[in-house]
Amino acid sequence: MTAATASAATDAAPAPGRYAVIGNPVSHSRSPRIHALFGQQTGIALAYELLPAPVDAFEATVRGFFTGGGKGLNVTVPFKQEAHALAAAHLSPRAQLAGAVNTLWLQDGALHGCNTDGVGLVADLVRLGADLNGARVLIVGAGGAARGVLQPLAEAGCARIHIVNRTAERAQALAAEWLRATGAPSPTVSAGGLGDALKGGPWEVVVNATASSLADAAPDLPAGLYAEGALAYDMMYGPQPTPFMRQAATDGAALAADGLGMLVGQAAESFFIWHGVRPDPEPVLAMLRQELAHAAP
């Protein structure tokens, strides 16, 4: 191949697709690293960045990203319900039931939305050895993260799901919306305030779906939540055990895990939606865990 031919071939190669994670805050996110590793694994060229958005300018930031040639967005706190409203005309069944969206993309000129959080959570709980069939599960929090995992947990066979939140009315509204949308007689779904976390317990699985760990705090939960052999799971993650994980260990949880595996699992599902190729999350999770350990003080 001549130099001129090589240059022409290079010029003809398509530019890497542009992707990002949007949130506030977003600087802590490992999503750019995860998608870069998925791209290397699958041979797909992509550029993935952090996209901070002002809390009052989510829609404008999203539209600016796609108008500028962006291909796909992951959505994190606190924008998942706003993303659902933005893509309301083209929602996947998962997103419709969740009432929240964490994955956006353009298709035929229209904005589409899906929720991959629940898929990522269930896969990681199973990886950690949780038996969800017949399990009693407590979800702490009633925001977009909690919304995204209700249906996948139900489909995994959980017998009872109890949602608690600092504002009880918000948890009760989420439970009522989900029951209305599904009409499902099982699992039993109930809700209340944080002080109601013991009702229906003890629990085989307790999931912290709040962002409390970002503020270096644990939810204000009563003691005695955990059944024998129970798993505590924080959707947040870091190089050290989160405040919720430490709280759970003190309260008798047999195993406490952070949400890095969920993050990688939901990212793999988003990657599949965007590229039509399903990456292997295991080696990426192992590499990220190693990198977090090395970054720890």
Side-chain angles (χ1 to χ4, degrees):
M1 180 184 292
T2 66
T5 305
S7 176
T10 301
D11 291 342
R18 184 176 168 227
Y19 301 85
V21 55
I22 183 171
N24 187 331
V26 78
S27 59
H28 66 284
S29 177
R30 298 272 167 166
S31 291
R33 177 66 172 149
I34 293 170
H35 283 269
L37 291 171
F38 284 160
Q40 293 171 18
Q41 183 188 110
T42 59
I44 294 173
L46 57 90
Y48 192 110
E49 63 198 63
L50 300 172
L51 184 61
V55 292
D56 58 351
F58 172 72
E59 180 175 352
T61 306
V62 169
R63 296 204 181 280
F65 174 81
F66 284 110
T67 300
K71 300 293 186 184
L73 282 174
N74 285 127
V75 183
T76 188
V77 292
F79 297 125
K80 294 182 181 183
Q81 287 169 265
E82 286 188 61
H84 179 274
L86 203 54
H90 301 281
L91 294 171
S92 71
R94 286 196 302 239
Q96 289 173 8
L97 282 174
V101 159
N102 78 331
T103 306
L104 292 168
W105 70 99
L106 280 183
Q107 184 174 322
D108 300 325
L111 197 61
H112 288 242
C114 186
N115 193 303
T116 68
D117 281 335
V119 175
L121 173 66
V122 168
D124 204 38
L125 291 175
V126 171
R127 181 186 67 85
L128 291 165
D131 182 2
L132 296 177
N133 190 32
R136 291 166 295 170
V137 177
L138 175 68
I139 298 176
V140 184
R147 288 173 174 272
V149 303
L150 264 175
Q151 181 62 17
L153 284 171
E155 290 175 352
C158 295
R160 179 177 178 81
I161 300 174
H162 187 47
I163 307 162
V164 295
N165 191 62
R166 185 176 56 184
T167 305
E169 292 79 10
R170 195 173 180 199
Q172 291 159 353
L174 172 55
E177 287 171 25
W178 184 83
L179 288 167
R180 243 189 338 264
T182 63
S186 180
T188 300
V189 175
S190 55
L194 294 179
D196 300 317
L198 286 170
K199 293 181 179 179
W203 308 99
E204 278 88 33
V205 177
V206 178
V207 177
N208 181 24
T210 76
S212 63
S213 292
L214 290 179
D216 197 29
D220 187 15
L221 295 168
L225 293 178
Y226 296 91
E228 184 177 354
L231 166 64
Y233 194 94
D234 196 340
M235 288 189 182
M236 299 296 113
Y237 62 91
Q240 304 291 344
T242 67
F244 170 77
M245 292 169 65
R246 297 195 298 270
Q247 177 193 67
T250 300
D251 194 31
L255 175 64
D258 70 11
L260 189 63
M262 174 182 172
L263 178 70
V264 175
Q266 64 81 24
E269 191 70 12
S270 294
F271 191 94
F272 175 71
I273 289 170
W274 293 332
H275 305 289
V277 177
R278 193 178 298 280
D280 181 1
E282 286 292 338
V284 173
L285 176 57
M287 185 169 292
L288 284 179
R289 187 65 72 191
Q290 186 178 48
E291 291 173 356
L292 274 177
H294 288 158

